[in-house]
mmCIF file of all heavy atoms in Angstrom:
data_model
loop_
_atom_site.group_PDB
_atom_site.id
_atom_site.type_symbol
_atom_site.label_atom_id
_atom_site.label_comp_id
_atom_site.label_asym_id
_atom_site.label_seq_id
_atom_site.Cartn_x
_atom_site.Cartn_y
_atom_site.Cartn_z
ATOM 1 N N CYS Q 11 5.069 -1.375 2.485
ATOM 2 C CA CYS Q 11 5.105 -2.575 1.668
ATOM 3 C C CYS Q 11 4.828 -3.772 2.556
ATOM 4 O O CYS Q 11 5.449 -3.922 3.604
ATOM 5 C CB CYS Q 11 6.474 -2.719 1.003
ATOM 6 S SG CYS Q 11 6.676 -4.262 0.083
ATOM 7 N N GLU Q 13 4.642 -7.981 2.743
ATOM 8 C CA GLU Q 13 4.902 -9.288 2.170
ATOM 9 C C GLU Q 13 3.892 -10.263 2.734
ATOM 10 O O GLU Q 13 3.547 -10.212 3.908
ATOM 11 C CB GLU Q 13 6.305 -9.785 2.532
ATOM 12 C CG GLU Q 13 7.427 -9.029 1.867
ATOM 13 C CD GLU Q 13 8.763 -9.651 2.217
ATOM 14 O OE1 GLU Q 13 8.779 -10.804 2.699
ATOM 15 O OE2 GLU Q 13 9.786 -8.985 2.006
ATOM 16 N N HIS Q 20 13.919 -19.455 8.417
ATOM 17 C CA HIS Q 20 14.118 -19.414 9.866
ATOM 18 C C HIS Q 20 13.000 -20.109 10.605
ATOM 19 O O HIS Q 20 13.193 -20.673 11.658
ATOM 20 C CB HIS Q 20 14.258 -17.961 10.351
ATOM 21 C CG HIS Q 20 12.986 -17.191 10.335
ATOM 22 N ND1 HIS Q 20 12.503 -16.577 9.212
ATOM 23 C CD2 HIS Q 20 12.084 -16.939 11.308
ATOM 24 C CE1 HIS Q 20 11.365 -15.961 9.501
ATOM 25 N NE2 HIS Q 20 11.087 -16.169 10.752
ATOM 26 N N ASP Q 62 12.210 -13.420 13.440
ATOM 27 C CA ASP Q 62 11.634 -12.569 12.400
ATOM 28 C C ASP Q 62 12.784 -12.136 11.489
ATOM 29 O O ASP Q 62 13.716 -11.465 11.923
ATOM 30 C CB ASP Q 62 10.969 -11.357 13.070
ATOM 31 C CG ASP Q 62 10.389 -10.342 12.098
ATOM 32 O OD1 ASP Q 62 10.891 -10.225 10.970
ATOM 33 O OD2 ASP Q 62 9.442 -9.635 12.493
ATOM 34 N N ALA Q 63 12.694 -12.500 10.199
ATOM 35 C CA ALA Q 63 13.793 -12.249 9.262
ATOM 36 C C ALA Q 63 13.436 -11.215 8.206
ATOM 37 O O ALA Q 63 14.023 -11.204 7.130
ATOM 38 C CB ALA Q 63 14.212 -13.558 8.593
ATOM 39 N N ILE Q 64 12.507 -10.314 8.492
ATOM 40 C CA ILE Q 64 12.038 -9.385 7.472
ATOM 41 C C ILE Q 64 13.079 -8.325 7.104
ATOM 42 O O ILE Q 64 13.104 -7.831 5.978
ATOM 43 C CB ILE Q 64 10.713 -8.719 7.922
ATOM 44 C CG1 ILE Q 64 10.039 -8.034 6.726
ATOM 45 C CG2 ILE Q 64 10.940 -7.742 9.052
ATOM 46 C CD1 ILE Q 64 8.658 -7.516 7.025
ATOM 47 N N ASP Q 65 13.973 -7.984 8.052
ATOM 48 C CA ASP Q 65 14.980 -6.956 7.801
ATOM 49 C C ASP Q 65 16.260 -7.645 7.311
ATOM 50 O O ASP Q 65 17.143 -7.996 8.089
ATOM 51 C CB ASP Q 65 15.250 -6.150 9.075
ATOM 52 C CG ASP Q 65 16.000 -4.859 8.803
ATOM 53 O OD1 ASP Q 65 16.338 -4.606 7.629
ATOM 54 O OD2 ASP Q 65 16.246 -4.102 9.756
ATOM 55 N N ILE Q 66 16.380 -7.818 6.012
ATOM 56 C CA ILE Q 66 17.353 -8.726 5.410
ATOM 57 C C ILE Q 66 18.787 -8.406 5.808
ATOM 58 O O ILE Q 66 19.598 -9.306 6.040
ATOM 59 C CB ILE Q 66 17.205 -8.716 3.874
ATOM 60 C CG1 ILE Q 66 15.850 -9.306 3.481
ATOM 61 C CG2 ILE Q 66 18.328 -9.506 3.212
ATOM 62 C CD1 ILE Q 66 15.538 -9.178 2.004
ATOM 63 N N ASN Q 67 19.131 -7.126 5.908
ATOM 64 C CA ASN Q 67 20.522 -6.736 6.118
ATOM 65 C C ASN Q 67 20.854 -6.286 7.535
ATOM 66 O O ASN Q 67 21.959 -5.779 7.764
ATOM 67 C CB ASN Q 67 20.900 -5.621 5.135
ATOM 68 C CG ASN Q 67 20.949 -6.115 3.703
ATOM 69 O OD1 ASN Q 67 21.470 -7.188 3.429
ATOM 70 N ND2 ASN Q 67 20.390 -5.343 2.788
ATOM 71 N N GLY Q 69 19.746 -8.234 10.602
ATOM 72 C CA GLY Q 69 19.714 -9.260 11.626
ATOM 73 C C GLY Q 69 18.356 -9.875 11.862
ATOM 74 O O GLY Q 69 17.345 -9.490 11.268
ATOM 75 N N VAL Q 109 20.285 -12.090 6.728
ATOM 76 C CA VAL Q 109 19.579 -13.017 7.622
ATOM 77 C C VAL Q 109 19.775 -14.462 7.173
ATOM 78 O O VAL Q 109 19.909 -15.367 8.005
ATOM 79 C CB VAL Q 109 18.079 -12.658 7.715
ATOM 80 C CG1 VAL Q 109 17.881 -11.344 8.436
ATOM 81 C CG2 VAL Q 109 17.405 -12.636 6.353
ATOM 82 N N HIS Q 148 7.826 -1.404 6.122
ATOM 83 C CA HIS Q 148 7.800 -2.750 5.555
ATOM 84 C C HIS Q 148 7.311 -3.704 6.636
ATOM 85 O O HIS Q 148 7.670 -3.559 7.803
ATOM 86 C CB HIS Q 148 9.208 -3.133 5.087
ATOM 87 C CG HIS Q 148 9.269 -4.379 4.274
ATOM 88 N ND1 HIS Q 148 8.468 -4.610 3.177
ATOM 89 C CD2 HIS Q 148 10.064 -5.483 4.400
ATOM 90 C CE1 HIS Q 148 8.763 -5.782 2.652
ATOM 91 N NE2 HIS Q 148 9.718 -6.340 3.375
ATOM 92 N N TYR Q 149 6.497 -4.681 6.253
ATOM 93 C CA TYR Q 149 5.994 -5.616 7.255
ATOM 94 C C TYR Q 149 5.453 -6.874 6.599
ATOM 95 O O TYR Q 149 5.167 -6.904 5.403
ATOM 96 C CB TYR Q 149 4.885 -4.979 8.096
ATOM 97 C CG TYR Q 149 3.637 -4.621 7.311
ATOM 98 C CD1 TYR Q 149 2.555 -5.499 7.238
ATOM 99 C CD2 TYR Q 149 3.534 -3.409 6.639
ATOM 100 C CE1 TYR Q 149 1.409 -5.172 6.515
ATOM 101 C CE2 TYR Q 149 2.398 -3.076 5.923
ATOM 102 C CZ TYR Q 149 1.346 -3.969 5.866
ATOM 103 O OH TYR Q 149 0.218 -3.649 5.140
ATOM 104 N N LYS Q 150 5.358 -7.928 7.400
ATOM 105 C CA LYS Q 150 4.587 -9.113 7.091
ATOM 106 C C LYS Q 150 3.437 -9.204 8.090
ATOM 107 O O LYS Q 150 3.472 -8.565 9.141
ATOM 108 C CB LYS Q 150 5.447 -10.379 7.198
ATOM 109 C CG LYS Q 150 6.342 -10.660 6.011
ATOM 110 C CD LYS Q 150 7.012 -12.017 6.183
ATOM 111 C CE LYS Q 150 7.835 -12.374 4.963
ATOM 112 N NZ LYS Q 150 8.465 -13.711 5.112
ATOM 113 N N SER Q 153 4.976 -10.259 11.289
ATOM 114 C CA SER Q 153 6.225 -9.626 11.733
ATOM 115 C C SER Q 153 6.054 -8.957 13.090
ATOM 116 O O SER Q 153 4.946 -8.647 13.520
ATOM 117 C CB SER Q 153 6.721 -8.622 10.695
ATOM 118 O OG SER Q 153 5.797 -7.580 10.497
ATOM 119 N N MET Q 154 7.194 -8.731 13.747
ATOM 120 C CA MET Q 154 7.204 -8.080 15.047
ATOM 121 C C MET Q 154 7.114 -6.578 14.833
ATOM 122 O O MET Q 154 8.125 -5.877 14.672
ATOM 123 C CB MET Q 154 8.480 -8.436 15.808
ATOM 124 C CG MET Q 154 8.626 -9.921 16.103
ATOM 125 S SD MET Q 154 7.446 -10.504 17.337
ATOM 126 C CE MET Q 154 8.253 -10.012 18.849
ATOM 127 N N LEU Q 157 8.450 -2.479 10.356
ATOM 128 C CA LEU Q 157 9.844 -2.117 10.144
ATOM 129 C C LEU Q 157 9.952 -0.767 9.446
ATOM 130 O O LEU Q 157 9.300 -0.541 8.423
ATOM 131 C CB LEU Q 157 10.531 -3.185 9.293
ATOM 132 C CG LEU Q 157 11.934 -2.861 8.770
ATOM 133 C CD1 LEU Q 157 12.930 -2.784 9.919
ATOM 134 C CD2 LEU Q 157 12.362 -3.887 7.735
ATOM 135 N N ARG Q 184 11.743 -0.554 14.721
ATOM 136 C CA ARG Q 184 10.415 -1.173 14.682
ATOM 137 C C ARG Q 184 9.415 -0.275 15.393
ATOM 138 O O ARG Q 184 9.711 0.290 16.441
ATOM 139 C CB ARG Q 184 10.416 -2.545 15.361
ATOM 140 C CG ARG Q 184 11.394 -3.559 14.784
ATOM 141 C CD ARG Q 184 10.916 -4.112 13.463
ATOM 142 N NE ARG Q 184 11.874 -5.052 12.904
ATOM 143 C CZ ARG Q 184 11.589 -6.322 12.587
ATOM 144 N NH1 ARG Q 184 10.364 -6.792 12.762
ATOM 145 N NH2 ARG Q 184 12.515 -7.105 12.068
#
Side-chain angles (χ1 to χ4, degrees):
C11 175
E13 290 184 16
H20 73 277
D62 177 332
I64 195 172
D65 195 358
I66 294 173
N67 291 317
V109 292
H148 190 51
Y149 64 94
K150 280 186 176 181
S153 62
M154 298 290 279
L157 170 67
R184 302 285 178 123

